[in-house]
Amino acid sequence: MYNFNYYTPTKVVFGRGTEEQVGQLVAQQGGSKVLIHYGGKSAVRSGLIDRIKASLDAQGIAHVELGGVVPNPHLGKVREGIELGKREGVDFLLAVGGGSVIDSAKAIGYGLAEPDKDVWELYAHKRKAAAHVPVGVVLTISATGSEMSNSSVITNELTGKKRSYNDDIARPRFAVMNPELTMSLPDYQTESGCSDIMMHTMERYFTNGGNMELTDAIAEGLLRTVMKNALILHSDPQNYDARAEVMWAGSLSHNGLTGCGCDGGDFACHNLEHELGGMFDVTHGAGLTAIWGSWARYVYKDCLPRFVKFAKNVMGVEGSGDEDTALKGIAALEDFFRSIGMPVSIRELGIAPTEEQILAMAQSCAEANGGKKGSAKVLYPEDMAEIYRMAR
């Protein structure tokens, strides 16, 4: 095992009706003027935004709103939020939504704290943040784990570049998590979220650097739990207990817990998907499942013991030898993805990248990561391009 730091300062308020506590939670953080940030009209139609505003009003906390966040959140909306926040004197950001909204709010928090600097410089890795306006979350989608993580991902819609920036100063101060708020989601969105949760865990699991028995057991248990409950939600979307299991798994998958003792994880699949998302605007979880099988078959020989362990302990399969077991585990997970309606190839996403686009995505992915990426197997541009080709 490797040395590690585990830092998770986010206060979690979990269960039915917990959104009613938002006003008190913001007051505890010293917020006096809140920007309520959200995505589509469903948060308004459902009455959630009104309930949140009433809770803030009860504490005498002023607020303004900014909706319109889209999946693969745009830099343009971030800049709009920064300007609104400066104009209104906002000192607290409340993200009401899933990962896209939370990531957008985090980016706004960077921009408000350093208004004389271009926030995109952080995502382009040209500098580090010095400050951040605090963020709280009311979670409505179980997927990215952004409600407890230090990371955010923003797409520059003018260039098609989708980039991440990680910094502990952006970890949310609190996360309100009511599983009932996820019950209106379409099945495709629910299952894409479940897939993203699994991928956050597997990115830390398939490594060649550092392992802990306890961390492995947590990761494997989390994966089995998400798979079980994803299947339940596929046929019974109103099942509260399944929603609760998946929601809590999403937070634990990306707050650092499932990577304690490892080398920081692989995250090649995530970075490969970022290029797909930036160029073709695909749903993140679905983009991950479309790439994962090809990535796994490309790298498994270089990380064979982990793939064997995964096949046996998570997928419950075993072959005639280590390689056969690993390949059976990969195929079994692809079968699971199919069973919940997720794609297992780029073609199934409804897109067909040309060779020129594949080479451009591979080069961009490598450049964004200093020329290479990966722990299970270190990937260079030519490796990345081949994985895209295999996934077509």
Side-chain angles (χ1 to χ4, degrees):
M1 61 169 288
Y2 286 11
N3 292 1
F4 64 89
N5 294 328
Y6 181 57
Y7 178 63
T8 53
T10 305
K11 179 178 183 177
V12 173
V13 183
F14 195 103
R16 292 182 173 94
T18 46
E19 65 272 19
E20 308 291 346
Q21 301 179 41
V22 165
Q24 297 173 6
L25 291 165
V26 173
Q28 290 169 6
Q29 295 296 329
S32 62
K33 184 70 174 285
V34 175
L35 172 57
I36 304 171
H37 199 35
Y38 60 94
K41 297 177 181 178
S42 61
V44 177
R45 282 198 308 269
S46 67
L48 176 59
I49 297 297
D50 283 342
R51 295 199 301 277
I52 287 170
K53 289 193 291 187
S55 181
L56 293 169
D57 289 341
Q59 295 292 323
I61 298 172
H63 46 83
V64 293
E65 301 173 36
L66 179 63
V69 180
V70 297
N72 299 312
H74 288 174
L75 177 62
K77 182 62 67 173
V78 169
R79 288 180 169 150
E80 183 182 348
I82 293 168
E83 291 306 311
L84 175 61
K86 289 193 293 187
R87 190 166 63 247
E88 295 288 340
V90 165
D91 61 8
F92 195 91
L93 298 158
L94 183 65
V96 183
S100 296
V101 174
I102 302 166
D103 286 4
S104 185
K106 288 177 178 178
I108 293 170
Y110 290 125
L112 281 179
E114 298 184 90
D116 58 331
K117 296 181 179 178
D118 180 9
V119 70
W120 182 250
E121 291 177 347
L122 300 174
Y123 294 86
H125 300 286
K126 294 181 178 179
R127 64 179 177 89
K128 284 187 64 66
H132 191 269
V133 170
V135 173
V137 174
V138 178
L139 189 64
T140 65
I141 303 172
S142 306
T144 69
S146 191
E147 66 276 3
M148 288 186 75
S149 82
N150 68 351
S151 64
S152 63
V153 182
I154 299 296
T155 298
N156 185 330
E157 67 273 28
L158 299 180
T159 64
K161 300 295 185 183
K162 181 178 178 180
R163 295 289 180 263
S164 63
Y165 180 69
N166 301 346
D167 199 310
D168 281 338
I169 63 174
R171 287 184 186 267
R173 300 297 181 87
F174 63 79
V176 171
M177 300 168 63
N178 177 0
E180 290 180 325
L181 299 180
T182 71
M183 287 183 177
S184 61
L185 291 172
D187 181 64
Y188 189 78
Q189 209 165 358
T190 294
E191 302 303 347
S192 292
C194 291
S195 301
D196 192 14
I197 292 167
M198 293 179 65
M199 287 299 306
H200 279 144
T201 304
M202 292 189 294
E203 295 280 24
R204 296 171 170 90
Y205 186 87
F206 290 110
T207 72
N208 273 314
N211 303 121
M212 289 185 71
E213 181 180 348
L214 179 57
T215 299
D216 281 352
I218 292 169
E220 291 163 1
L222 190 153
L223 290 166
R224 291 192 300 267
T225 297
V226 173
M227 291 172 67
K228 172 185 174 181
N229 288 284
L231 287 169
I232 292 172
L233 293 174
H234 197 46
S235 59
D236 182 14
Q238 301 303 303
N239 190 303
Y240 177 86
D241 289 337
R243 292 275 177 191
E245 295 281 1
V246 168
M247 181 171 270
W248 187 225
S251 295
L252 299 185
S253 73
H254 204 38
N255 72 358
L257 180 65
T258 59
C260 290
C262 83
D263 62 4
D266 187 273
F267 285 95
C269 277
H270 264 76
N271 282 268
L272 290 166
E273 194 287 327
H274 286 174
E275 300 305 324
L276 271 181
M279 185 173 288
F280 297 103
D281 198 29
V282 301
T283 301
H284 180 55
L288 289 169
T289 64
I291 290 173
W292 186 82
S294 296
W295 168 84
R297 290 185 177 89
Y298 193 83
V299 309
Y300 80 93
K301 290 182 181 179
D302 293 78
C303 196
L304 191 58
R306 304 298 291 168
F307 277 90
V308 171
K309 186 178 176 73
F310 172 82
K312 293 178 180 179
N313 294 357
V314 178
M315 303 312 302
V317 297
E318 189 166 357
S320 58
D322 282 355
E323 281 202 35
D324 190 46
T325 296
L327 290 170
K328 278 184 165 59
I330 294 167
L333 184 57
E334 287 183 317
D335 286 343
F336 166 76
F337 287 145
R338 291 188 187 98
S339 74
I340 59 172
M342 289 290 100
V344 293
S345 70
I346 293 176
R347 180 183 64 258
E348 292 174 22
L349 284 171
I351 57 177
T354 65
E355 180 66 14
E356 183 180 8
Q357 289 172 323
I358 282 173
L359 293 175
M361 288 190 294
Q363 188 61 39
S364 179
C365 185
E367 288 175 356
N369 291 283
K372 60 185 178 180
K373 188 66 179 176
S375 172
K377 177 182 175 70
V378 177
L379 304 178
Y380 295 89
E382 57 271 23
D383 302 302
M384 298 173 184
E386 185 58 28
I387 291 170
Y388 283 130
R389 294 187 193 103
M390 291 169 61
R392 282 195 292 192

